[in-house]
Every structure is written in C-alpha cells, then in structure tokens.
C-alpha cells in the first residue's frame, strides 16, 4: 500500500506566543501510512509538532463535533473545520478548509482499497 502525503495551508490559533509569520496561514503536512497504522493520520505543524489522530475522528469531525481528550475536531461554518490539539505546552487550534481534509481522506481510502480479484 502507498503512503499518502498532502500539503495544505492552515491558520493556527494558540495560547503560545507566535512570531508574526505564524499568525498567517502556515504550511501543514497531512500524512497517512497504512503500513504504520491504517487507522491513523498524522498532522505535521510547523517546527517539530506532529500529531497522530484517528482517521475516523477526522472524518466524523467534518460532520459534527467529535473527539475528547487531546484531539477534537468540528465543522466551522460550511467551508471550514477546526482541529484542536491539547498538550502540556498548551492548546493549538488549527483551522482548515473542509474540502482540503475531505480530499485527503478520500485519497487515504483510495490508497487502502483492495483490488478485487476474480
């Protein structure tokens, strides 16, 4: 199976101090490796911040608020989605365009689709 990696831009709202360029849209890497964990996706934020979250949680959160604990996802209006990460260092709120996350999820399911043999 193949790894799916998609680059996106997102807005980060955090309770930590940000430098000026981090207040604008920042590059984010969405990654899915079915050989590593077929039920999880990774969200790579600028710097060394990478979060692993359940693929099902990301999908559910695009339709209605989902999650608890360290990661929460919910729709924000008709075209955006919020992913909220909690850690000992604080809370980071990442705002994506929903279509970006949907496109990524579709690609992950295509990558894991098993060919039908006759």
């Amino acid at each position: 199976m193949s790894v799916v990696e998609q680059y996106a831009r997102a807005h980060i709202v955090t309770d930590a101090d940000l430098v000026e360029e981090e207040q604008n849209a920042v590059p984010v890497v969405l990654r899915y490796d079915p050989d590593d964990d077929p039920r999880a996706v990774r969200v790579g934020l600028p710097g060394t911040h990478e979060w692993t979250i359940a693929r099902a949680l990301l999908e559910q959160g695009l339709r209605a608020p989902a999650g608890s604990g360290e990661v929460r996802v919910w729709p924000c209006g008709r075209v955006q989605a919020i992913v909220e990460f909690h850690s000992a260092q604080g809370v980071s709120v990442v705002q994506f365009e929903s279509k970006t996350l949907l496109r990524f999820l579709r690609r992950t399911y295509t990558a894991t689709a098993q060919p039908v043999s006759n």
Side-chain angles (χ1 to χ4, degrees):
M1 288 186 253
S2 60
V3 173
V4 175
E5 193 167 87
Q6 181 173 316
Y7 295 88
R9 296 202 56 83
H11 291 276
I12 297 177
V13 179
T14 180
D15 55 0
D17 291 331
L18 292 178
V19 294
E20 181 65 31
E21 51 274 3
E22 289 180 327
Q23 294 175 4
N24 300 318
V26 296
V28 176
V29 179
L30 304 170
R31 182 174 171 81
Y32 174 70
D33 185 349
D35 293 330
D36 184 37
D37 184 350
R39 296 168 299 177
V41 297
R42 293 182 182 184
V43 178
L45 302 177
T48 59
H49 306 285
E50 183 174 85
W51 291 83
T52 301
I53 63 175
R55 183 168 61 160
L57 171 63
L58 184 59
E59 186 175 6
Q60 291 167 1
L62 292 175
R63 294 186 303 270
S68 62
E70 292 183 349
V71 180
R72 297 178 183 137
V73 183
W74 67 90
C76 180
R78 293 178 12 175
V79 298
Q80 296 178 334
I82 302 293
V83 182
E84 183 179 271
F85 301 103
H86 294 255
S87 72
Q89 291 75 33
V91 177
S92 292
V93 178
V94 184
Q95 183 177 12
F96 289 92
E97 287 189 19
S98 296
K99 67 181 178 181
T100 299
L101 297 176
L102 285 169
R103 186 178 321 117
F104 172 69
L105 285 170
R106 269 190 240 117
R107 291 180 64 211
T108 68
Y109 287 111
T110 300
T112 57
Q114 298 295 321
V116 178
S117 58
N118 293 330

